[in-house]
Amino acid sequence: MDYNRLAELLFPSIDKTPEDYEAMYPERDLPEGAKVTRLGPSPTGFIHLGNLYGALIDERLAHQSGGTFYLRIEDTDDKRYVEGAVETVISSLRFFGINFDEGASEDGDKGAYGPYYQSNRGEIYQCFVKKLVQEGKAYPCFLTEDELAEIRAEQESAKVTTGIYGEYASKSRNLTYEEIEANINEGKPYVIRLKSTGTGNVPSEELKYIKVEDAIRGTVSMPENFQDVVILKATGIPTYHFAHVVDDHLMRTTHVVRGEEWLMSLPIHVELFEKMGWEPPTYCHTAVLMKIDDENGNKRKLSKRKDPELSLDYYRNEGYHPEAVKEYLLTILNSNFEEWRMANPDTPADQFLFTTDKMSSGGALFDLNKLNDVSKDVLLKIPAAELTKFMIEWAREFRPEILPLFESDPEYLTRILDLGRDGKKPRKDLIYAKQIFEFISYFYDDYFRIEATIPENVSDEDAVEILTRYLETYDHSDDQSQWFEKIRQIADSMGYALRPKDYKKNPDDYKGHVGHVSEVIRIAIMGRSQSPDVWEIQQILGEERTVERVKALIV
Ligand code: GLU
């Protein structure tokens, strides 16, 4: 067979050569050791935690090494295209502080290695398929759906591996030029298949293995590929296998970070790189994100259907601070991050040297409670004024009805958020915006409600008396100890023990203790029986509001 003639028959309009593309996309001019990584999402509109997890690895590898991180849109499967999906990917990741240096962007392609949409790279793929045909390494296959089904049924009943390989490929592999030409003239659809040189269906001791140094998993050894996989579909669009090989080569990618679901097809990719005569990138197959199932306590994959926390929108809606999410992801990404964090409590997380060899290849366990713990620590380090800005932006997007409260008096919000955060044992109860607002909502009259009931051992009459006397003696300029002294006096004179332990010892001698008295006051002012320091809260609320709230309960 004259393969050159065949290639011309199949790709008459492809006039560029592989060398043209090699020249158009030269090796990148980057410092020694710089890594080039990419995110290759399909534009399905759903961006999830796994994407962020992978993107963070990509971003860290590239930016820690002075390299480049680019965005390539893998849209060869147009059934999955969702309008606006690319903008969603970009803006969601930007929110988490992950920015691309190059690639698809909101203002079109940016960079010298484009086009960055696979759907715009048709000619490039075809040029390289043409090269494989010229070299006798790929061939057209006219098998119809029915014929494929027949082969599959035959293989299933013979209990052999299904697919097009060896004897099952021979019919298509052995077509003559004339037969192919006649098929094409008849308008028969066809795909292009790789002519695999791997051996299948041999006794296991004769199987040949590929060996790949995966940056996360170490040496990966798998039986080599022997399937004549499709590289170009009947539509002229490449399969993922072929497209990523061409793209990662021409875009000069050094590290491919992708989910472990791709591990299975690694032998195909290794063969494709070899047939193309190219050096494969370093693969980094990440572990699947797992969680402990709430119902049965078993470890399982995070699921789109069951777990709202898989979607990145969840974190934005709830108002997680991007730094908290990033910090948490680093703790699951690198086993030594927490230790580093302890030794460097105030260093920005970006200064941690992330490495793929400290990543676990078993399932990465995602735990919302742990995220919440990390978030408490992270928020503590963010100045209150900055948290105020964050709360305002969150409200603008997700709770517009409370935005005026924040915007009309940001200083008020800052004082609220700063409450009890200094000192040796700072309070750690701010976690995410939605929770923060619930936590502090009593500072805003519209959201202030009496949510707690007064302690059982305080009678209604006593409650009124406590509050009346509190009001009579209230002086907004009292310092904390003067203020508390007055509460003690009220307690003492009304028959409440000054020390809880005295009450516990002799419960019949007292109505309760000073804590019960201050709880009544707390409930009047905050509506809750638990809260930060009452005196400090009053200072923020101001005299007028404090007095009004106490009055409101004296009826
Ligand atoms: N387009 C693939 C996906 O959506 C990307 C795989 C890769 O990064 O190579 O999962």
Side-chain angles (χ1 to χ4, degrees), residues 136 152 178 258 286 378:
R152 171 174 270 273
E178 288 69 28
R258 61 183 184 186
T286 59
V378 170

Side-chain angles (χ1 to χ4, degrees), residues 38 40-42 74 240 256-258 262:
R38 86 301 194 272
S42 301
E74 308 213 323
Y240 165 77
V256 167
V257 178
R258 61 183 184 186
W262 295 108

Side-chain angles (χ1 to χ4, degrees), residues 3-286:
Y3 292 126
N4 275 322
R5 202 166 149 228
L6 176 61
E8 285 312 320
L9 174 69
L10 298 175
F11 301 103
S13 59
I14 295 298
D15 47 14
K16 284 212 178 58
T17 65
E19 292 69 35
D20 293 333
Y21 288 115
E22 295 290 347
M24 265 167 80
Y25 306 114
E27 288 290 341
R28 289 171 185 264
D29 185 16
L30 288 172
E32 174 85 23
K35 298 184 170 91
V36 178
T37 58
R38 86 301 194 272
L39 193 72
S42 301
T44 58
F46 181 66
I47 167 138
H48 58 79
L49 197 63
N51 298 125
L52 177 64
Y53 178 81
L56 183 58
I57 304 173
D58 280 316
E59 190 274 342
R60 289 289 75 214
L61 291 181
H63 291 160
Q64 273 176 186
S65 64
T68 300
F69 174 40
Y70 69 88
L71 175 64
R72 179 172 77 222
I73 305 302
E74 308 213 323
D75 57 349
T76 53
D77 186 356
D78 43 50
K79 283 196 281 304
R80 297 172 71 198
Y81 186 81
V82 169
E83 200 59 39
V86 176
E87 288 74 12
T88 305
V89 171
I90 297 173
S91 66
S92 305
L93 293 176
R94 179 184 300 134
F95 177 79
F96 291 100
I98 293 184
N99 294 300
F100 297 99
D101 308 305
E102 179 184 309
S105 85
E106 282 138 331
D107 324 307
D109 277 0
K110 207 175 79 185
Y113 289 81
Y116 295 95
Y117 282 72
Q118 288 186 330
S119 57
N120 293 334
R121 299 174 62 79
E123 272 188 25
I124 303 177
Y125 302 124
Q126 295 196 9
C127 169
F128 286 95
V129 177
K130 184 175 183 179
K131 166 189 148 90
L132 288 181
V133 173
Q134 279 166 344
E135 292 171 352
K137 295 173 181 167
Y139 64 92
C141 169
F142 295 86
L143 291 175
T144 61
E145 290 297 329
D146 287 348
E147 285 169 315
L148 288 168
E150 238 169 72
I151 293 176
R152 171 174 270 273
E154 184 188 328
Q155 290 168 330
E156 276 167 359
S157 69
K159 294 202 168 36
V160 296
T161 312
T162 56
I164 300 302
Y165 60 92
E167 60 188 285
Y168 306 102
S170 58
K171 183 174 163 205
S172 306
R173 279 192 184 203
N174 295 336
L175 289 176
T176 62
Y177 180 89
E178 288 69 28
E179 286 167 323
I180 293 172
E181 190 177 36
N183 280 342
I184 289 177
N185 289 342
E186 279 172 45
K188 285 194 183 161
Y190 63 94
V191 299
I192 305 282
R193 288 184 187 273
L194 172 75
K195 201 184 279 177
S196 173
T197 47
T199 41
N201 269 0
V202 288
S204 56
E205 60 279 8
E206 282 171 40
L207 268 184
K208 290 206 192 94
Y209 282 77
I210 57 151
K211 264 207 173 91
V212 174
E213 286 308 316
D214 185 287
I216 296 174
R217 287 157 200 271
T219 310
V220 172
S221 177
M222 298 168 84
E224 66 177 3
N225 173 56
F226 59 87
Q227 299 265 1
D228 283 4
V229 290
V230 174
I231 55 176
L232 205 63
K233 297 184 245 182
T235 48
I237 292 171
T239 54
Y240 165 77
H241 305 308
F242 191 69
H244 105 275
V245 166
V246 171
D247 294 345
D248 284 325
H249 171 71
L250 290 182
M251 296 180 182
R252 309 293 170 183
T253 312
T254 64
H255 289 67
V256 167
V257 178
R258 61 183 184 186
E260 74 179 334
E261 65 275 18
W262 295 108
L263 203 53
M264 246 168 51
S265 36
L266 189 58
I268 299 175
H269 305 152
V270 167
E271 184 170 10
L272 282 170
F273 270 102
E274 183 203 279
K275 293 275 182 299
M276 299 301 299
W278 296 333
E279 195 59 41
T282 301
Y283 282 102
C284 316
H285 288 97
T286 59

Side-chain angles (χ1 to χ4, degrees), residues 291-328:
K291 75 175 270 182
I292 302 287
D293 191 285
D294 297 331
E295 271 156 38
N296 57 23
N298 293 337
K299 228 178 172 187
R300 64 162 172 81
K301 257 171 134 174
L302 276 171
S303 118
K304 191 170 165 179
R305 196 170 47 81
K306 291 194 212 152
D307 307 312
E309 73 266 33
L310 182 60
S311 160
L312 282 191
D313 285 346
Y314 173 83
Y315 303 91
R316 292 182 69 176
N317 260 297
E318 298 285 296
Y320 278 94
H321 196 283
E323 279 307 316
V325 176
K326 234 167 123 171
E327 177 99 1
Y328 175 59

